[in-house]
Amino acid sequence: QAQLVQSGAEVKKPGASVKVSCKASGYTFNRNGLNWVRQAPGQGLEWMGWISVYNGNTQYIQKVQDRVTMTRDISANTVYMELRSLRSDDTAVYFCAASGGSTGGAFDVWGQGTMVTVSS
Amino acid sequence: EIVLTQSPGTLSLSPGESATLSCRASQSVGSRYLAWYQQKPGQAPRLVIYGASSRAAGIPDKFSGSGSGTDFTLTVNRLEPEDSAVYYCHQYGNSPFTFGPGTKVDI
């Protein structure tokens, strides 16, 4: 059964960096893309960007493109999302979600989410 | 950027009734790249419909999707208390991918 397991909750001070991991199992890891979606408390879903597990190509939204890096370690079946220069409005649950399987690009497997709190 | 608008914001219904949720896009999405997700409190979203009308694995046939271009609909028949959730539409055909603001369904 396809599964994504994320790293645990983080508390960071403004200006710090956070790196969240997302480990895949139960499917062919390098066939898919891995997306990162965040959800601020009580708010909706925001797509942050995507990494091709196959070749490492990335795409980020303009809002965070200067502060975010998505990478992958194929040998570990793991994708990482690093966000730098954290601000209070980065406080959110961060989800990884796989795409590129039989659903034609829809996000069919989701991680459990990682709460990132930015507070002084 | 394609902006998705969902209506209504909240839907309060009784068990056994049907829910009709609307998603409108600011420009054509193409039916292949519109999805619906269900999210319950404290959980990750769950894919319900992809390609505007195809049910994801394990989704019962009381969920159905339709539409193309800029107007899409999710219908949930025979509502049960477990269907209470926020439902988001999502377009994944044009970058940046975007989500609608969600419709909360209370049973």
Side-chain angles (χ1 to χ4, degrees):
Chain A
Q1 179 180 347
Q3 192 175 12
L4 296 172
V5 178
Q6 299 182 222
S7 50
E10 303 264 12
V11 179
K12 297 291 184 181
K13 293 191 183 303
S17 298
V18 69
K19 192 169 186 177
V20 180
S21 67
C22 171
K23 183 175 177 62
S25 62
Y27 70 93
T28 305
F29 180 59
N30 63 1
R31 272 195 334 180
N32 288 55
L34 247 295
N35 301 267
W36 289 91
V37 177
R38 69 180 179 179
Q39 186 171 39
Q43 303 300 308
L45 303 169
E46 179 180 44
W47 180 73
M48 297 178 65
W50 166 93
I51 181 168
S52 165
V53 178
Y54 174 71
N55 59 18
N57 286 349
T58 55
Q59 196 167 30
Y60 309 133
I61 60 172
Q62 190 170 19
K63 185 177 180 181
V64 299
Q65 66 179 10
D66 294 334
R67 301 191 292 127
V68 71
T69 303
M70 298 176 189
T71 55
R72 92 276 196 228
D73 180 345
I74 294 176
S75 66
N77 277 14
T78 301
V79 168
Y80 303 91
M81 187 282 298
E82 181 180 33
L83 190 60
R84 302 175 294 278
S85 302
L86 289 166
R87 311 187 292 238
S88 58
D89 62 355
D90 293 317
T91 294
V93 177
Y94 289 75
F95 296 100
C96 59
S99 60
S102 60
T103 59
F107 300 177
D108 55 352
V109 184
W110 290 71
Q112 83 276 18
T114 296
M115 182 71 216
V116 175
T117 302
V118 183
S119 174
S120 55
Chain B
E1 172 176 325
I2 296 179
V3 177
L4 300 179
T5 303
Q6 292 187 241
S7 61
T10 302
L11 207 46
S12 296
L13 295 165
S14 299
E17 291 188 316
S18 295
T20 301
L21 285 63
S22 174
C23 175
R24 178 161 290 177
S26 60
Q27 57 187 279
S28 181
V29 170
S31 61
R32 291 183 61 191
Y33 302 112
L34 193 286
W36 292 90
Y37 300 87
Q38 176 193 68
Q39 187 180 33
K40 298 180 180 180
Q43 297 184 15
R46 177 191 183 192
L47 179 64
V48 177
I49 297 288
Y50 65 95
S53 61
S54 297
R55 274 186 301 277
I59 300 299
D61 62 6
K62 66 182 208 171
F63 289 87
S64 62
S66 63
S68 64
T70 60
D71 289 293
F72 300 88
T73 300
L74 174 69
T75 301
V76 188
N77 294 318
R78 306 183 301 279
L79 284 165
E80 302 171 87
E82 67 196 49
D83 299 322
S84 293
V86 179
Y87 291 83
Y88 295 94
C89 60
H90 169 222
Q91 70 81 19
Y92 50 99
N94 288 272
S95 185
F97 301 157
T98 49
F99 291 88
T103 291
K104 184 177 182 181
V105 176
D106 285 326
I107 312 301

